[in-house]
Amino acid sequence: MVRIQSLQQSANIAKLPCAEGAAHDDWLRRHEDHCLQDTRVDLRKQIMDWCDDPNGKCIFWLNGMAGTGKSTISRTIALELAEKKRLAASFFFTRGKKDVSHSRMFFTTIAAQLANSLPVLRTSISDAIDNNTQIFQKGPREQWNQLILNPLKNAPTQSIQLVVVIDALDECDSMEDIQLILQLLEEAKDLETVRIKIFVTSRPEIPIFDGFRQLSGEAYQDFILHNIPLDTVNGDISTFFLRKLSPLKVKHGLGTPWPDEGIIEQLVERAAGLFIYAATTLRFIQDGIDGPEEQLSLILSATKSSRSATEHLDGIYTTLLQHSVLGKRGYQECEQLAERFRQVVGSIVVMFNTMPARNLAELLQIPFKMVSRTLDSLRSVLNVPENESHHVRLFHLSFRDFLQDSQRCRDSRFQIDEKETHTSLFRKCMLYISQLQENICDLWGPGVLITDIPNDTIQKSIPLHVQYACRYWLDHWRLGNPLEAVEDIKTIRQFLDQHFLHWLEGLSLIGEVSNGVHMIIALEEILSVSGNAY
């Protein structure tokens, strides 16, 4: 009987929707950095002391501007807690990456991890699923109460204190959801038997400040990362450069000392407290085609006039793009390469989910070799996996911010026009969803369950770029120029006339029908406002 109950509990918990890439140790995050052993020492100790303090406040908010190393610290803290069996769960938000760019699976993912890290909760979480079969479709408050808070309150265990790590909360796509999450997490302060603390990182954006201000002063403490004395940060960045550049000296047989103390000092000065500058500089030196000495010289000669931290970072991004994308080619070829950059990288910057390079080439209708060449030249700022089935993504959102801000990206050849790119992607999406057909997977009869269809059959009939088009065409149109291009509205009307049911079939096969309903409602609202209701 106990065996049957255990199997049933496991089956229920396996139903919990889990966001891919959310956990600190997820396979997709296997190449992401942690703090070097002797860096961030005081800060890490302060955080771990808070974790261990039974009287400490429930929430620790580490906030800092872009590029100050928040996510690296989060991964390090999560790893240390996991090694001590103190990590309850972790969720790393990532903008533009399907499951971890929103809060839809936040609480169900946390609940699933809690069930694994604290087995005494499995019965309560399983019962909550049995008693409310629609819990996965409920709102955040209901999921928090039924799947997390109540099981923790009723846990039959001795007193224990665990930590949930939430990174980059600002990258959740809804500020209203962010504030609701904070309000719900505050309720953990009243737990008695199983105490849960929450470590949160984010940029210091006003809606998040407002969210914390709405909490009681007893609920949280904060730490402003960019207020750490610059000398301390510079010491850590200096250690980073020394440790990471040393292997290059051996690999390339460079003379000693390389780089010398003066060069390290220059690099640290230019980093201006931004770890993202240090990381991007390192990748540029490592991956450059001219060898580390030449790449380092280029960096040092390119950012002399920069003054602020952001200007230093912008300087290295500009240098990287001009050198890696354009090189010393003639005017006409440079214009062609810049246009290709805006097409390929501009799409990566604004897309709502990542995809492999080959699927990106298909979506954009650009030969794969051309897309591949563009991406290969940008490995300092883009994570371009060797395995073609893995997704291409940005290393850091600061690169996106740079490209979309004409005041920062002064070379117009690399500026990304957000509306123009969204409109272009909408039109690419429409080309694919207008080619959908009835029974696209060639199923053997009506009433076939999705679970009975092999996944490779779906992937072959509806490849990732077509899935993306089915799911996001309306979002791109909405963020482009939805009411300015009459031809686009005509294209949508023609699509609805001829392929609406084919689209619904495609959405059902990829598990996105519920989003399709929301898309139609949103489309109707947009067109009604414009007087173009269909």
Side-chain angles (χ1 to χ4, degrees):
M1 183 66 179
V2 174
R3 172 71 173 165
I4 294 175
Q5 288 179 337
S6 177
L7 290 173
Q8 181 60 46
Q9 289 174 9
S10 296
N12 277 344
I13 290 168
K15 296 176 185 176
L16 287 165
C18 290
E20 184 182 23
H24 78 100
D25 58 352
D26 190 279
W27 186 82
L28 294 175
R29 298 185 178 277
R30 66 196 183 283
H31 295 311
E32 294 181 348
D33 291 332
H34 295 79
C35 296
L36 295 175
Q37 185 175 1
D38 47 359
T39 61
R40 301 291 202 182
V41 175
D42 291 341
L43 175 58
R44 285 157 58 189
K45 182 180 184 303
Q46 181 175 339
I47 295 169
M48 294 306 294
D49 286 346
W50 164 80
C51 292
D52 295 334
D53 183 3
N55 299 314
K57 295 186 178 181
C58 177
I59 301 174
F60 189 115
W61 176 33
L62 179 69
N63 73 81
M65 61 185 185
T68 49
K70 299 182 296 297
S71 292
T72 304
I73 294 169
S74 293
R75 285 190 292 272
T76 305
I77 294 299
L79 178 62
E80 291 183 22
L81 289 168
E83 290 173 344
K84 295 179 178 180
K85 310 291 185 187
R86 298 281 310 286
L87 183 67
S90 58
F91 197 104
F92 281 61
F93 283 100
T94 308
R95 189 172 298 158
K97 195 170 181 182
K98 190 177 178 183
D99 292 344
V100 290
S101 65
H102 54 73
S103 65
R104 206 165 302 130
M105 298 185 190
F106 176 74
F107 287 116
T108 54
T109 300
I110 296 295
Q113 293 183 38
L114 271 174
N116 290 324
S117 60
L118 199 59
V120 294
L121 300 180
R122 295 174 70 85
T123 299
S124 297
I125 294 175
S126 175
D127 289 346
I129 297 170
D130 275 335
N131 295 334
N132 189 346
T133 57
Q134 298 299 311
I135 188 65
F136 306 146
Q137 283 75 50
K138 297 295 183 181
R141 186 176 299 278
E142 189 72 14
Q143 290 185 357
W144 162 253
N145 287 331
Q146 299 302 319
L147 296 174
I148 300 175
L149 189 62
N150 291 341
L152 287 169
K153 285 181 177 178
N154 302 320
T157 185
Q158 61 184 2
S159 181
I160 188 173
Q161 185 165 279
L162 301 175
V163 182
V164 173
V165 175
I166 302 170
D167 182 63
L169 184 59
D170 56 291
E171 293 185 29
C172 176
D173 61 11
S174 168
M175 286 300 169
E176 291 80 7
D177 286 354
I178 289 172
Q179 294 184 351
L180 177 57
I181 286 172
L182 291 174
Q183 292 169 20
L184 296 175
L185 292 176
E186 181 187 20
E187 297 175 5
K189 74 181 189 303
D190 299 320
L191 292 169
E192 296 180 356
T193 307
V194 179
R195 291 205 64 202
I196 292 292
K197 288 188 168 186
I198 300 101
F199 177 72
V200 181
T201 73
S202 77
R203 296 188 191 189
E205 296 182 354
I206 290 177
I208 298 182
F209 264 117
D210 290 342
F212 274 101
R213 288 193 189 103
Q214 293 172 23
L215 308 185
S216 68
E218 299 176 354
Y220 78 97
Q221 68 183 74
D222 61 2
F223 187 97
I224 302 174
L225 190 55
H226 49 267
N227 280 356
I228 294 177
L230 187 58
D231 287 346
T232 301
V233 179
N234 284 347
D236 289 341
I237 293 177
S238 178
T239 299
F240 174 85
F241 277 125
L242 286 168
R243 293 279 186 85
K244 295 294 187 177
L245 291 175
S246 291
L248 286 180
K249 177 169 61 178
V250 176
K251 179 180 178 181
H252 294 272
L254 302 177
T256 301
W258 186 90
D260 61 33
E261 185 177 333
I263 289 178
I264 293 294
E265 288 179 358
Q266 289 183 62
L267 290 173
V268 171
E269 180 185 353
R270 287 154 202 257
L274 293 183
F275 276 84
I276 186 58
Y277 177 97
T280 305
T281 296
L282 176 70
R283 288 192 295 268
F284 183 70
I285 295 171
Q286 286 176 325
D287 300 333
I289 58 176
D290 294 332
E293 289 180 301
E294 290 78 5
Q295 296 288 106
L296 177 56
S297 177
L298 188 63
I299 287 293
L300 293 174
S301 64
T303 55
K304 289 180 179 178
S305 62
S306 297
R307 295 182 298 278
S308 69
T310 301
E311 286 176 324
H312 280 293
L313 185 60
D314 295 349
I316 192 175
Y317 282 149
T318 301
T319 299
L320 186 153
L321 293 175
Q322 291 174 344
H323 178 74
S324 300
V325 176
L326 306 181
K328 298 178 180 179
R329 298 175 176 87
Y331 173 80
Q332 185 172 356
E333 189 176 1
C334 282
E335 290 299 308
Q336 292 172 345
L337 291 170
E339 182 180 359
R340 182 62 39 77
F341 170 86
R342 293 193 297 272
Q343 286 178 301
V344 175
V345 180
S347 297
I348 293 172
V349 161
V350 307
M351 285 173 68
F352 299 99
N353 198 11
T354 58
M355 64 177 63
R358 193 169 292 277
N359 292 102
L360 179 64
E362 291 285 351
L363 179 65
L364 301 179
Q365 297 183 314
I366 298 174
F368 173 66
K369 285 185 178 180
M370 293 184 178
V371 171
S372 184
R373 287 189 199 122
T374 300
L375 297 178
D376 283 343
S377 67
L378 292 166
R379 290 180 179 272
S380 302
V381 286
L382 298 177
N383 187 339
V384 185
E386 296 298 331
N387 189 322
E388 287 187 7
S389 66
H390 296 168
H391 294 214
V392 178
R393 61 182 179 82
L394 302 176
F395 272 120
H396 199 271
L397 284 180
S398 60
F399 185 54
R400 172 186 296 180
D401 297 340
F402 165 75
L403 293 174
Q404 292 180 320
D405 187 341
S406 61
Q407 297 302 309
R408 294 180 58 189
C409 182
R410 299 297 181 88
D411 190 331
S412 61
R413 293 173 296 183
F414 302 114
Q415 292 172 6
I416 303 301
D417 185 313
E418 190 173 356
K419 282 192 173 185
E420 183 179 294
T421 307
H422 277 299
T423 299
S424 175
L425 281 168
F426 157 73
R427 291 168 182 168
K428 300 295 185 185
C429 288
M430 290 305 296
L431 290 175
Y432 282 103
I433 62 175
S434 296
Q435 295 172 14
L436 294 172
Q437 299 176 357
E438 183 180 354
N439 194 18
I440 193 170
C441 286
D442 196 23
L443 303 179
W444 49 92
V448 177
L449 296 176
I450 294 295
T451 52
D452 292 335
I453 306 172
N455 186 59
D456 58 354
T457 298
I458 297 176
Q459 297 299 325
K460 182 179 179 181
S461 302
I462 314 176
L464 281 178
H465 56 281
V466 180
Q467 293 183 30
Y468 182 92
C470 287
R471 173 63 185 86
Y472 294 111
W473 63 268
L474 181 64
D475 293 295
H476 285 302
W477 182 62
R478 180 172 53 84
L479 293 172
N481 298 299
L483 305 178
E484 295 177 16
V486 176
E487 289 302 315
D488 286 341
I489 296 178
K490 289 181 179 178
T491 300
I492 293 173
R493 294 183 62 172
Q494 185 175 7
F495 158 72
L496 293 173
D497 276 336
Q498 299 177 5
H499 297 285
F500 177 69
L501 294 179
H502 303 155
W503 174 59
L504 287 182
E505 179 185 343
L507 288 176
S508 68
L509 289 166
I510 63 175
E512 294 283 1
V513 167
S514 60
N515 281 317
V517 174
H518 294 304
M519 290 167 70
I520 290 300
I521 294 172
L523 176 63
E524 183 180 26
E525 290 177 352
I526 295 171
L527 294 180
S528 295
V529 169
S530 70
N532 285 297
Y534 176 55

